[in-house]
Amino acid sequence: MHAEESSASPSEPCHVSVMPDEVVQAVAECQPKVIIDGTFGAGGHSRLMLELMDANGSIIGMDRDPAVSARQEAAEQAGQSDPRLSVFLGSYEQSPKALEACDLEKACAMVLDLGLSSDQLADRSRGFSFQHDGPLDLRFDPERGVPASQWMARHSEKEIADAIYQFGEERFSRRIAREVIRRAREGKAVKTVAEMVDVCRRCVPRGKNHDIHPATRTFQALRIAVNDELGILQRTLAHCADWIRPGGVLVVISFHSLEDRLVKHAMRDDQRWEVVTRKPLRPTDAEIETNPRSRSAKLRVAKRL
Ligand SMILES: C[S@@+](CC[C@H](N)C(=O)[O-])C[C@H]1O[C@@H](n2cnc3c(N)ncnc32)[C@H](O)[C@@H]1O
C-alpha cells in the first residue's frame, strides 16, 4: 500500500487532541518550566502547553512512531518548529535519557495520552484500522519488533488465546486462536487485516450484547501485545515519580479499562503522589460530538509530593 493511498498526509496530521482544555488546566497549575509530552503524536497537546510557558520553557516530546519524528524534523528544517520543543524517537519509558540529552534533570509535568492517533489509524500500511485492508502489522514503530502477523506465527494457540482474552477481554478468544492456528497449519496463515477480520467474524457471534465490531477487542489485544503497551505503562508508572519534581504533575489519558486500572492504582498506591482527580475526568458531550474518538477517554491527574 502506498503512502499516498492513506488519507493522512505526513505533513498535515489529522489527529484532534483529546480533552485539550483539561490537559492544559492540569499542567498550568504547576507553572511548568519543563514538560515531558510522552506521547507527542500530532503535537496538539504540546502546542497548547507551549502557550503556558515563557521563552525559557521547554517541552520534550517522545513518540515511538518514526513518522512522528520525521514530521518534526521536516518542520524544524522548514523553520516551522518552536525552538522550545525537542522531539525524540522512542518510548516514554526512556524519558530520563531524553531529559539528559537536553541537559535537564527533572520535569515539572509529564503528559501521557495513551493509544494511537487518528493519523496512525488512517494509514492503511499500519494495519490499525480493521475497516481497511492492509498488512496486519499494528506496531507503533514499524522498524522494531515483529508485526502482529508474525507475532501470531511465533506464539502457541494458548498464548494467542490468553493475549486476546487478557488484553482484549474477548470472551471468544479460544475460538479465535484455534482458527488462526488452523489456517496456519493449512498453509493459509493470517497475514492481512481482512483475513484477521474474517477470523473474528467467524468466531465472534453477533448477539444482542455485541454492539461493537467483532474484531474490535481482538485488534486492541494484538496491538497491546505487539507493542508491550501495558508493560511499558506499568514500568513507567513505577518510576516516573523519580523524573518529576515535587509540586509537579502527572497527567494520563487512557482509553480502556486495562490502562485506566493501572493508572488509578499507581497514583493511589504510591505515596509520592497525591491524587488530584478522585474520579477520572471525562470529555464533555460537546467534545464527544465533535471528536467521537474522545468518547472513551478518562483523564487522571496526580501531584508529586
Ligand atoms: C493519542 S496519540 C497522542 C496525540 C497527541 N497527544 C496530540 O495531541 O497530538 C498517541 C501517540 O502515542 C504514541 N505512543 C504509543 N505508545 C508510546 C510509547 N510507549 N512511547 C512513546 N509514544 C508512544 C503513538 O505512536 C501515538 O503517536
Side-chain angles (χ1 to χ4, degrees), residues 13 15-18 20 23 37-49 61-66 68 71 88-94 111-120 126 128 139-141 223 227-229 232-233 236 253 255 293:
H15 182 81
V16 178
S17 299
V18 168
V23 168
D37 182 351
T39 49
F40 183 76
H45 285 135
S46 276
R47 272 187 293 281
L48 293 171
M49 293 189 294
M62 307 282 302
D63 206 291
R64 280 173 100 180
D65 188 342
V68 168
R71 192 162 52 218
F88 293 84
L89 173 62
S91 169
Y92 54 72
E93 193 179 5
Q94 290 149 13
V111 176
L112 298 177
D113 174 16
L114 302 170
L116 75 165
S117 70
S118 307
D119 299 291
Q120 290 164 328
R126 311 290 293 270
F128 287 116
R139 283 172 296 175
F140 288 128
D141 182 351
R223 199 196 77 208
N227 294 295
D228 186 24
E229 287 179 52
I232 290 178
L233 179 61
T236 300
I253 304 177
F255 290 88
R293 200 189 160 270

Side-chain angles (χ1 to χ4, degrees), residues 206-223:
R206 293 216 88 166
K208 49 178 185 272
N209 296 331
H210 271 83
D211 50 352
I212 57 170
H213 189 287
T216 303
R217 293 173 189 278
T218 300
F219 271 65
Q220 173 184 303
L222 291 176
R223 199 196 77 208

Side-chain angles (χ1 to χ4, degrees), residues 232-254:
I232 290 178
L233 179 61
Q234 213 161 8
R235 291 192 293 275
T236 300
L237 291 168
H239 295 294
C240 67
D242 296 332
W243 317 336
I244 299 173
R245 298 178 185 285
V249 289
L250 171 64
V251 180
V252 188
I253 304 177
S254 59

